[in-house]
Amino acid sequence: MDYESAYRTITRLAQEPNAAQVIVNYLHDHFPAYSWVGLYWVQGSDLVLGEWKGPEATEHTRIAIGTGVCGAAAASGRTEIVGDVSRDSRYLACFSSTKSEIVVPIFADGSVIGEIDIDGSVLNAFGAEDQRFLGRVAAVLAGVRTRTSAARAARR
Ligand code: SME
């Protein structure tokens, strides 16, 4: 997978209506290792599931910050890469097919406003290149999110 051309495509998709969902779909459909892709958004002290694409819905639609791999990344503001979820006691199971996971925080004005959560169906599906690439995608999503929340506020 060519991360650079994928990143360029994503910056273009960010202009579309419903951009967050379109970007999630693109990540899921173009990266074979990205088996389930979801965005969680911070609401108070929780992460709430927003846009996602994958073979099944997750039961974890609300996760307290600090709980699970997702909650750990939101609490620390650091990317979590879990090569083998069966060996990480923080892991909240969603799908029996998941073997590895990456969670990348989304920042706006220095605070975590959400995160990208990706499950892989092989061990060690995610590496440093995914981390770098998804960090850039997270910055694009921060822009999308702040733009759409501002538009929503203006309509009220
Ligand atoms: N596995 C995550 C929960 C979210 S599901 O993977 C979609 C966790 O441990 O926080």
Side-chain angles (χ1 to χ4, degrees), residues 3-155:
Y3 290 92
E4 197 49 48
S5 76
Y7 176 72
R8 277 197 303 273
T9 302
I10 285 167
T11 56
R12 186 167 47 70
L13 296 177
Q15 310 310 318
E16 293 196 7
N18 212 12
Q21 183 68 58
V22 170
I23 291 170
V24 164
N25 295 350
Y26 178 81
L27 290 172
H28 176 270
D29 297 345
H30 288 77
F31 290 82
Y34 297 2
S35 305
W36 188 95
V37 180
L39 303 180
Y40 284 90
W41 298 108
V42 172
Q43 261 181 38
S45 56
D46 290 339
L47 291 160
V48 176
L49 182 65
E51 300 79 0
W52 64 274
K53 184 164 185 190
E56 302 174 60
T58 174
E59 63 185 270
H60 297 295
T61 55
R62 183 177 281 269
I63 298 170
I65 294 175
T67 302
V69 180
C70 285
S76 69
R78 279 200 288 271
T79 292
E80 291 284 346
I81 295 182
V82 181
D84 180 353
V85 295
S86 75
R87 298 168 72 91
D88 192 317
S89 59
R90 301 168 305 172
Y91 174 67
L92 299 172
C94 288
F95 318 112
S96 55
S97 55
T98 299
K99 297 275 197 300
S100 52
E101 182 167 19
I102 185 168
V103 182
V104 180
I106 299 171
F107 287 93
D109 296 328
S111 324
V112 176
I113 60 160
E115 57 190 34
I116 307 171
D117 175 25
I118 304 182
D119 286 30
S121 42
V122 297
L123 291 170
N124 302 306
F126 310 108
E129 254 197 314
D130 299 285
Q131 177 169 358
R132 237 181 342 261
F133 165 65
L134 292 169
R136 296 170 77 198
V137 175
V140 172
L141 287 166
V144 167
R145 180 73 172 177
T146 35
R147 193 183 70 222
T148 49
S149 331
R152 222 177 289 130
R155 280 198 301 273

